[in-house]
Amino acid sequence: MGEANSADWERRAARGLAFLRRRITGEYEVDEFGFDQDLTENVLLNLIRPLYETYFRVEARGLERVPNDGGALIVANHSGTLPLDALMTQVALWDHHPVGRHLRMLAADVVFTMPYVGSYARKAGHTLACNPDAQRLLAGGEVVGVWPEGFKGIGKPFSERYRLQRFGRGGFVSAALRTGAPIIPTAIVGAEEIYPKIGDIKPLARLLGVPYVPVTPTFPWLGPLGLVPLPSKWYIVFGEPIDTSGYDPSAADDPMLVFNLTDQVRESIQDTLYRVLLQRRSVFF
């Protein structure tokens, strides 16, 4: 056992030294969106992996439904006050997908205006939630993630947990239709319980220029300790892909088709949420 631990430590040390050497010499690449794959794989994912494996004990199901190559669009429900669900989906796809795929998330403008957060979001491969960026990534063969509920999803009160909010105008469907990428409805259970939102300090939110400042059973009553998320048990379920390759790219301009596909994706996610909720034994186990 001691020899095995020693060998593992030596391998980690060697990887760490190799990473530092590449950073010093500049032998790493950054793509047109600012994605630093070397930094993401060796640092950023390592920082959030303990949350995935130990704290939330995430179980990912249906990963084989995400193609091994080519573009694909992951569409998921959004919840939890802070967007940890998106980060956990990123870990699931890199660590547990058969060939390990990076998730390129589409994020709201406010993410990229926040000090440090915006910069590291770019380095982790994420970009603005806009159709041109989504289409370029999908056409380039990337797995793109979108949470179309946006702040309405992560900021909804606990009383509305696991009830999907409006999906907007279906811009993500248009991007998939123009590139022929499959749409993979994805349901995330467990994130709703990490920060049960029971109120909102709206004057402070306006002062800070953020969508909301939540009141939870632990925040602000316990001060900084109230920022620690509750250790709920998570499930991420990747559903059956919706094939768009049979449509002409011009179909993206058909508002009725876009509406119907958007509604189909939404219903698929909602049905899976209800099914997993019925099956789970406990919020925390």
Side-chain angles (χ1 to χ4, degrees):
M1 181 68 72
E3 292 181 1
N5 289 338
S6 176
D8 183 56
W9 184 89
E10 289 177 1
R11 283 193 296 271
R12 291 185 181 185
R15 285 198 300 268
L17 288 172
F19 170 74
L20 289 174
R21 189 180 303 113
R22 290 192 298 273
R23 305 315 288 189
I24 293 171
T25 60
E27 297 176 7
Y28 61 91
E29 295 182 358
V30 176
D31 76 5
E32 60 180 310
F33 293 93
F35 177 39
D36 187 334
Q37 183 173 336
D38 190 43
L39 181 70
T40 299
E41 292 177 8
N42 289 286
V43 177
L44 302 182
L45 285 170
N46 288 340
L47 293 175
I48 59 177
R49 188 171 285 116
L51 283 175
Y52 183 100
E53 295 179 347
T54 305
Y55 199 77
F56 296 132
R57 296 145 290 137
V58 181
E59 288 186 28
R61 302 172 181 173
L63 278 161
E64 70 282 355
R65 292 169 176 151
V66 180
N68 290 348
D69 53 57
L73 183 65
I74 305 294
V75 183
N77 59 301
H78 214 10
S79 62
T81 303
L82 291 178
L84 295 179
D85 48 7
L87 298 178
M88 295 303 101
T89 307
Q90 183 181 13
V91 176
L93 281 164
W94 177 246
D95 284 5
H96 301 287
H97 186 270
V99 300
R101 302 210 62 182
H102 282 294
L103 180 65
R104 310 293 294 270
M105 290 182 269
L106 304 179
D109 297 9
V110 67
V111 171
F112 300 99
T113 62
M114 298 170 68
Y116 302 109
V117 174
S119 173
Y120 281 103
R122 288 284 187 189
K123 293 178 186 297
H126 315 317
T127 189
L128 291 171
C130 64
N131 268 16
D133 281 6
Q135 289 174 33
R136 284 163 60 203
L137 285 167
L138 289 170
E142 301 288 351
V143 177
V144 176
V146 61
W147 281 258
E149 293 175 280
F151 287 113
K152 298 188 303 293
I154 58 174
K156 65 178 177 287
F158 190 63
S159 60
E160 296 179 16
R161 60 193 179 278
Y162 298 114
R163 284 188 241 160
L164 291 182
Q165 305 297 297
R166 191 172 63 85
F167 268 21
R169 292 173 292 180
F172 65 91
V173 168
S174 298
L177 287 169
R178 292 192 189 282
T179 57
I183 302 172
I184 303 170
T186 301
I188 303 172
V189 169
E192 293 277 18
E193 290 86 8
I194 62 172
Y195 293 112
K197 183 185 171 195
I198 57 176
D200 189 358
I201 309 175
K202 293 181 179 179
L204 183 57
R206 286 194 294 269
L207 181 64
L208 297 176
V210 295
Y212 53 82
V213 174
V215 175
T216 75
T218 59
F219 182 83
W221 328 112
L222 299 183
L225 188 61
L227 297 174
V228 177
L230 298 178
S232 56
K233 167 72 176 175
W234 284 37
Y235 301 89
I236 301 178
V237 183
F238 298 88
E240 290 291 341
I242 297 171
D243 186 16
T244 67
S245 61
Y247 294 98
D248 188 271
S250 63
D253 298 320
D254 182 343
M256 187 55 67
L257 174 62
V258 170
F259 174 83
N260 288 337
L261 285 175
T262 302
D263 199 46
Q264 182 182 346
V265 173
R266 189 178 181 280
E267 285 185 5
S268 176
I269 296 171
Q270 187 69 79
D271 288 346
T272 304
L273 286 172
Y274 286 148
R275 187 177 72 250
V276 177
L277 287 168
L278 287 172
Q279 293 172 350
R280 74 171 177 174
R281 297 171 299 167
S282 163
V283 170
F284 299 105
F285 302 101

